[in-house]
């Protein structure tokens, strides 16, 4: 199993990004704690020096399994489903701008809150139509570059669109693109899925990426989720992607990052005493 952790390239408001601050210092720490990769939360890829970034991460022997794009919603209010056409266009454009960087780093692109929420006065069906259109545009623009997208089911308190694996898989079928899969997050699954292990099995080979936080969105081991069972299912279905830490920086960013990987490693089947 390969482990990564979310790191923002710039300071951002989203609280469940464990590490913020000086980029290279954080990269050095992540590598030192034994992570295999770093998931980068990037607001605007056009502001990033791709070559310098690739040099930094590879000099610490880290890969970049995925690029998070939620800051486009959190900071810039871009949304695939807005009732304002220019906002929808800018959201798709922002994601299309990630494709070169993702191809350069060998990363997939995460589609989380960039889908937005249904605007007041708009039917949810209309939001879904806009969402399908946006996903078709992004996936077709990226397929020739070999870049994949991971759509994240997110809990009901953050969006009204796509909460569960079942809804995510239905949407993927409607979009009809091979380079679209799901990112499952234990925090959201704990709220929305009747059974986390069954949801992971249901996702099967459409599972492209995996986020971990405990029930309280602290690091794994700080709440009541059964990570031995969750890691066991990932191993059983032959998941060969990354398990990526996305949790609150509590009691501190460094302690949460260190404790997360220690707990997850201890939960692997080969480490059962
Ligand atoms: C992002 O990966 C996520 O899990 C969301 O909760 C963002 O709000
Ligand atoms: Mn997540």
């Amino acid at each position: 199993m390969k482990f990564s952790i979310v790191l923002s390239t710039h300071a951002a408001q989203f609280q469940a990004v464990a590490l913020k601050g000086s980029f290279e210092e954080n990269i050095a720490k992540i590598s030192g704690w034994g992570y295999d990769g770093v998931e980068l939360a990037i607001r605007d890829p056009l502001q990033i020096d791709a070559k310098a970034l690739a040099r930094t991460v590879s000099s610490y022997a880290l890969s970049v399994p995925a690029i998070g794009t939620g800051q486009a919603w959190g900071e810039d209010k871009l949304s695939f489903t807005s009732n304002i056409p220019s906002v929808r266009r800018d959201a798709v454009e922002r994601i299309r701008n990630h494709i070169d960087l993702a191809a350069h780093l060998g990363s997939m692109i995460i589609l989380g809150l960039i889908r937005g929420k249904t605007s007041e006065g708009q039917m949810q069906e209309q939001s879904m139509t806009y969402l399908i259109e946006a996903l078709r545009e992004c996936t077709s623009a990226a397929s020739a570059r070999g870049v994949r997208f991971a759509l994240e089911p997110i809990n009901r308190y953050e969006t009204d669109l796509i909460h569960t694996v079942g809804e995510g898989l239905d949407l993927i079928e409607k979009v009809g693109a091979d380079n679209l899969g799901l990112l499952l997050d234990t925090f959201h699954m704990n709220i929305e899925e009747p059974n986390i292990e069954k949801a992971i099995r249901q996702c099967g080979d459409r599972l492209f990426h995996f986020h971990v936080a405990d029930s309280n969105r602290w690091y794994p081991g700080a709440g009541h989720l059964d990570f031995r069972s969750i890691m066991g299912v990932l191993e059983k279905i032959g998941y060969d992607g990354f398990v990526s830490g996305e949790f609150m920086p509590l009691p501190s960013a460094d302690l949460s990052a260190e404790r997360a990987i220690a707990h997850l490693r201890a939960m692997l089947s080969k480490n059962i005493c």
Side-chain angles (χ1 to χ4, degrees):
M1 199 66 72
K2 293 170 288 186
F3 295 104
S4 57
I5 188 164
V6 176
L7 175 65
S8 183
T9 54
H10 294 91
Q13 285 167 29
F14 178 45
Q15 276 308 303
V17 173
L19 296 156
K20 294 174 186 167
S22 158
F23 184 71
E24 184 158 358
E25 251 173 56
N26 281 323
I27 289 288
K29 286 198 270 188
I30 290 167
S31 167
W33 290 319
Y35 285 92
D36 310 287
V38 58
E39 176 186 319
L40 296 175
I42 296 179
R43 178 174 174 176
D44 183 354
L46 298 184
Q47 307 302 319
I48 299 286
D49 179 342
K51 284 191 182 135
L53 193 150
R55 257 197 314 276
T56 306
V57 292
S58 63
S59 70
Y60 289 91
L62 292 174
S63 48
V64 183
I67 295 171
T69 60
Q71 291 175 11
W73 161 261
E75 314 283 325
D76 300 322
K77 292 287 163 261
L78 299 182
S79 155
F80 283 164
T81 61
S82 167
N83 57 359
I84 305 166
S86 63
V87 174
R88 295 199 301 277
R89 255 198 321 275
D90 289 351
V92 170
E93 189 57 25
R94 177 69 62 88
I95 295 303
R96 290 182 68 139
N97 289 342
H98 277 280
I99 294 171
D100 270 348
L101 179 64
H104 191 84
L105 296 171
S107 317
M108 72 185 86
I109 300 171
I110 294 172
L111 300 174
L113 282 175
I114 186 85
R115 64 176 161 284
K117 302 174 189 180
T118 298
S119 314
E120 225 179 285
Q122 179 168 290
M123 301 293 286
Q124 205 191 45
E125 211 183 325
Q126 181 64 65
S127 303
M128 290 305 288
T129 303
Y130 288 148
L131 181 54
I132 292 167
E133 276 170 19
L135 291 173
R136 284 195 181 134
E137 214 174 317
C138 294
T139 50
S140 84
S143 67
R145 311 289 312 277
V147 171
R148 301 191 301 162
F149 291 89
L151 180 95
E152 182 175 31
I154 288 179
N155 76 75
R156 69 191 69 185
Y157 305 108
E158 297 187 53
T159 179
D160 62 314
L161 304 166
I162 314 295
H163 302 141
T164 63
V165 170
E167 290 166 357
L169 293 176
D170 281 353
L171 178 64
I172 287 175
E173 207 178 307
K174 287 184 184 127
V175 173
D178 288 343
N179 57 340
L180 179 62
L182 295 184
L183 152 59
L184 298 187
D185 181 324
T186 55
F187 176 73
H188 301 305
M189 284 194 285
N190 186 49
I191 296 171
E192 297 295 346
E193 303 287 355
N195 181 301
I196 292 180
E197 291 80 356
K198 270 193 194 152
I200 295 170
R201 276 195 219 97
Q202 183 187 1
C203 196
D205 60 8
R206 282 288 173 166
L207 180 56
F208 282 9
H209 195 52
F210 200 78
H211 276 169
V212 280
D214 218 316
S215 51
N216 45 7
R217 221 171 198 180
W218 281 49
Y219 59 88
H224 58 72
L225 291 188
D226 184 350
F227 280 99
R228 185 169 308 284
S229 168
I230 292 168
M231 300 303 286
V233 177
L234 289 175
E235 290 181 298
K236 262 192 211 107
I237 67 166
Y239 175 67
D240 65 356
F242 276 74
V243 169
S244 201
E246 183 192 51
F247 38 76
M248 312 280 280
L250 296 169
S252 71
D254 289 10
L255 277 176
S256 61
E258 260 185 293
R259 288 178 185 174
I261 192 162
H263 186 68
L264 293 169
R265 284 241 159 88
M267 295 298 110
L268 295 175
S269 56
K270 64 176 188 217
N271 293 328
I272 295 175
C273 308

